[in-house]
């Protein structure tokens, strides 16, 4: 749920357990933050030396992917998978480094906090007031062979911080009064439990399907989200993903080029591409259409893919505005899609 609960310690213990059972294991990268218990947990595990990157006169250390691949262990610990690598690295993100190790047949053990999941970024920001910039696509969690929750009560974590086991004393009090307030931690803990309970439920459904324990699985009706360059789009995409995930339904991201898009600014075009990438990272099918009947194109996708719910930005207009032909996309979509649930979020 948060830094300091003991994820790295648990990962090191798991690595030692596997090593002691005869598996070839290495530490590819670990963050100890100078914590004595974490340092002690490393024990005599084999550690692959890091590579040094010079960035604007500052020496930064990153995982040496080539060295890990050359060593070819069976299992590698890659701590803090949401980390952003130093500029000039082969991959922008450490999760991409981990994926490369997997391509070489190396099993990866890693660690992650709930605030780093892309689909929950807006909720975490509302809870804590902190915008987390280092995020990973949800598929990194969903595609894991095994997920272990390292749990701790908010009170116990705050005591651990107070005793100096997480941050130096000068930082501890500041942390306790900001990010690590008990209310924040309680909300984050609930978020973790809800997210992982959904993972457990999905595993159960997969098991039942594989073993033909229930032959009458209804076809899931899809969820769609209309993409645009607006800064409000990312949170709209996340809301749509959360509904599709809860319903076990496919998510479709739709972009229909509006009239006059050819004159759009470079900033608007860049924002649009960022939003489409976000949808892809969350596992959505992205559908693009050239300029035309915007509502008609959206409704065609809705019909073709059995979509029941559409998320769109905008404000439904008054009756007078509609009579005067001022209906925006959200209003026109509602009028022409009476059999579809249209969720309108403030743009």
């Amino acid at each position: 749920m948060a830094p300091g609960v003991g994820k790295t310690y648990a990962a090191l213990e798991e690595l030692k357990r596997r090593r002691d059972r005869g598996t070839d294991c290495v530490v590819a990268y670990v963050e100890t933050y100078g914590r004595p218990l974490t340092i002690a947990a490393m024990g005599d595990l084999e550690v692959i030396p890091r590579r040094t990157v010079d960035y604007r006169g500052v020496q930064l250390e990153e995982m040496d992917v080539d060295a890990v691949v050359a060593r070819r262990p069976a299992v590698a610990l890659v701590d803090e998978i949401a980390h952003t690598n130093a500029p000039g690295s082969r991959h922008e993100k450490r999760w991409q480094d981990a994926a490369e190790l997997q391509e070489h047949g190396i099993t990866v053990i890693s660690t992650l906090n709930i605030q780093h999941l892309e689909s929950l970024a807006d909720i975490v920001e509302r809870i804590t007031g902190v915008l987390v910039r280092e995020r990973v696509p949800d598929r990194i969690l969903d595609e894991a062979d095994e997920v272990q929750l390292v749990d701790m009560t908010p009170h116990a974590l705050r005591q651990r911080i107070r005793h100096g086991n997480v941050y130096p004393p000068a930082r501890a009090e500041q942390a306790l009064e900001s990010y690590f307030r008990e209310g924040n931690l309680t909300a984050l803990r609930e978020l973790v439990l809800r997210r992982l309970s959904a993972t457990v439920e999905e595993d159960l459904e997969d098991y039942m399907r594989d073993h033909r324990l229930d032959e009458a699985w209804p076809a899931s009706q899809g969820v769609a989200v209309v993409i645009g360059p607006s800064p409000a789009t990312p949170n709209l995409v996340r809301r749509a993903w959360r509904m599709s995930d809860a319903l076990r339904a496919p998510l479709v991201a739709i972009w229909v080029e509006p009239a006059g898009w050819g004159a759009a600014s470079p900033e608007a075009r860049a924002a649009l591409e960022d939003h489409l990438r976000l949808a892809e990272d969350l596992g959505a099918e992205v559908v693009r259409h050239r300029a035309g009947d915007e509502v008609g194109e959206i409704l065609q996708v809705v019909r073709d893919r059995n979509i029941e719910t559409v998320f769109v930005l905008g404000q439904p207009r008054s009756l007078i505005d509609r009579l005067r032909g001022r209906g925006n996309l959200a209003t026109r979509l509602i009028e022409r899609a009476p059999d579809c649930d249209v969720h309108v979020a403030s743009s």
Side-chain angles (χ1 to χ4, degrees):
M1 66 178 181
V5 296
K7 300 178 304 299
T8 302
Y9 184 92
L12 287 165
E13 289 297 304
E14 172 65 11
L15 199 68
K16 285 193 288 189
R17 183 188 69 80
R18 295 188 183 212
R19 190 270 316 268
D20 292 345
R21 293 181 62 179
T23 303
D24 184 17
C25 299
V26 302
V27 174
Y29 194 97
V30 71
E31 291 281 9
T32 67
Y33 297 108
R35 296 168 186 165
L37 292 177
T38 307
I39 294 171
M42 291 183 68
D44 59 349
L45 286 167
E46 180 183 348
V47 179
I48 303 296
R50 303 176 183 183
R51 63 183 181 86
T52 302
V53 180
D54 183 74
Y55 179 64
R56 296 181 178 178
V58 178
Q59 300 296 306
L60 303 174
E61 292 186 335
E62 299 289 0
M63 180 172 69
D64 192 333
V65 177
D66 291 331
V68 180
V69 170
R71 169 63 178 73
R72 289 197 175 276
V75 179
L77 170 58
V78 179
D79 202 13
E80 301 283 6
I81 203 166
H83 169 79
T84 300
N85 290 329
S89 299
R90 180 155 70 239
H91 300 127
E92 180 186 1
K93 299 287 188 177
R94 188 171 289 161
W95 65 262
Q96 295 169 315
D97 292 336
E100 184 173 341
L101 298 185
Q102 289 179 295
E103 289 171 2
H104 287 275
I106 300 170
T107 295
V108 174
I109 296 175
S110 194
T111 60
L112 181 72
N113 292 328
I114 191 67
Q115 72 261 25
H116 296 299
L117 279 182
E118 181 62 69
S119 68
L120 301 176
D122 55 327
I123 295 180
V124 171
E125 185 177 2
R126 288 202 300 272
I127 292 171
T128 65
V130 175
L131 173 62
V132 178
R133 300 193 181 277
E134 292 192 323
R135 303 196 289 264
V136 301
D138 284 57
R139 69 175 184 272
I140 301 301
L141 178 66
D142 296 333
E143 293 174 0
D145 295 317
E146 183 179 343
V147 179
Q148 178 180 335
L149 172 62
V150 182
D151 192 26
M152 175 176 278
T153 65
H155 175 75
L157 178 55
R158 284 172 57 84
Q159 288 296 103
R160 179 177 285 184
I161 294 171
R162 226 175 243 116
H163 295 153
N165 294 328
V166 178
Y167 297 116
R171 281 190 63 194
E173 282 306 315
Q174 180 184 1
L176 289 169
E177 293 172 6
S178 54
Y179 192 91
F180 291 87
R181 294 195 300 271
E182 188 146 355
N184 286 359
L185 295 176
T186 300
L188 290 172
R189 189 185 190 207
E190 181 177 353
L191 206 57
V192 169
L193 295 172
R194 285 179 181 272
R195 182 63 174 83
L196 289 190
S197 68
T199 301
V200 171
E201 183 179 346
E202 187 172 343
D203 289 344
L204 175 60
E205 290 177 357
D206 289 343
Y207 179 87
M208 292 178 72
R209 285 191 182 95
D210 292 344
H211 292 77
R212 300 177 182 244
L213 298 179
D214 189 342
E215 296 289 354
W217 292 93
S220 295
Q221 291 185 304
V223 176
V225 57
V226 179
I227 302 291
S230 166
T233 300
N235 283 348
L236 184 76
V237 173
R238 295 184 184 104
R239 286 178 59 187
W241 180 89
R242 287 194 289 270
M243 174 176 279
S244 71
D245 185 61
L247 296 174
R248 300 288 184 270
L251 176 63
V252 179
I254 307 170
W255 157 245
V256 180
E257 185 178 303
W261 179 249
S265 68
E267 292 77 14
R269 291 178 180 277
L272 173 69
E273 293 303 322
D274 285 344
H275 300 160
L276 290 170
R277 276 194 296 273
L278 169 62
E280 288 180 331
D281 282 345
L282 290 174
E285 175 194 357
V286 173
V287 178
R288 298 175 183 243
H289 284 288
R290 293 289 182 186
D293 175 6
E294 195 172 8
V295 174
E297 297 284 5
I298 293 170
L299 293 180
Q300 187 63 52
V301 175
V302 165
R303 286 191 292 269
D304 290 347
R305 288 164 174 78
N306 192 32
I307 286 169
E308 185 179 51
T309 306
V310 178
F311 285 78
V312 63
L313 290 176
Q315 295 290 350
R317 301 298 174 88
S318 68
L319 176 60
I320 292 175
D321 281 342
R322 295 203 300 273
L323 291 174
R324 290 175 177 173
R326 295 177 182 170
N328 61 12
L329 175 60
T331 302
R332 288 181 282 130
L333 197 56
I334 291 169
E335 290 172 345
R336 292 177 59 181
D339 297 328
C340 186
D341 293 333
V342 180
H343 293 240
V344 183
S346 177
S347 47

